Amino acid sequence: MAEHPHAQLVRTGYEAFSRGDMDTLRSMMTGDATHHVPGSHQLSGDCKGIDAVLDYYRRLYEETSGTFKVELRTVLVDGRGHAVAMHHFTARRGDKRIDEDGGIVFRIIGDKITDLDECLADIDRANEFWS
């Protein structure tokens, strides 16, 4: 059985992110896409619009001197426009390291991502890392 198109879309997005392929990511999202970043640190908040979302991704790499890595573990879909991706990520910032699990709840309309709601296994740890 073939993988659901929404799961394929999310997988393609993670692959593009891992390659730093912002053109592919731009093509996969609506112009008004929003990425909700949890926490209380310099990168948290709502990135509204495709340019703000891609700037957030750029800052992840910039703040970690290119060490930010993410490994997609699984994708769940409901067939109604939602996908949940579970992943593991690592990064370094100066003498700080993070090695955590996280996830993103995607809202998909048609074949485009419109909303990304990020979740973390340990939000306090993430706040400390990004502060």
Side-chain angles (χ1 to χ4, degrees):
M1 178 177 268
E3 186 172 46
H4 191 278
H6 292 163
Q8 290 175 343
L9 181 67
V10 168
R11 285 185 195 286
T12 299
Y14 271 82
E15 291 166 4
F17 178 87
S18 292
R19 290 190 313 269
D21 184 351
M22 297 301 139
D23 290 335
T24 295
L25 289 172
R26 180 179 293 279
S27 75
M28 299 173 65
M29 296 183 205
T30 61
D32 63 349
T34 301
H35 189 129
H36 308 276
V37 182
S40 56
H41 53 79
Q42 64 181 344
L43 298 179
S44 63
D46 294 337
C47 305
K48 297 179 181 181
I50 188 66
D51 291 333
V53 172
L54 296 179
D55 187 58
Y56 166 62
Y57 299 160
R58 178 194 60 77
R59 289 187 65 202
L60 289 174
Y61 285 106
E62 185 177 273
E63 290 289 328
T64 63
S65 300
T67 65
F68 190 92
K69 305 288 183 212
V70 64
E71 177 188 336
L72 180 62
R73 297 280 171 87
T74 193
V75 181
L76 310 172
V77 297
D78 70 356
R80 298 178 294 116
H82 299 97
V84 178
M86 301 300 296
H87 60 252
H88 188 82
F89 66 100
T90 59
R92 288 189 315 272
R93 288 184 75 227
D95 61 349
K96 298 179 184 179
R97 276 187 64 79
I98 194 160
D99 188 346
E100 296 288 333
D101 291 323
I104 300 177
V105 179
F106 293 84
R107 176 75 174 132
I108 301 165
I109 297 179
D111 62 352
K112 298 275 188 179
I113 297 166
T114 64
D115 197 73
L116 303 92
D117 203 345
E118 192 174 329
C119 300
L120 300 165
D122 188 340
I123 197 165
D124 294 329
R125 174 75 179 108
N127 283 335
E128 187 277 325
F129 177 77
W130 293 111
S131 296

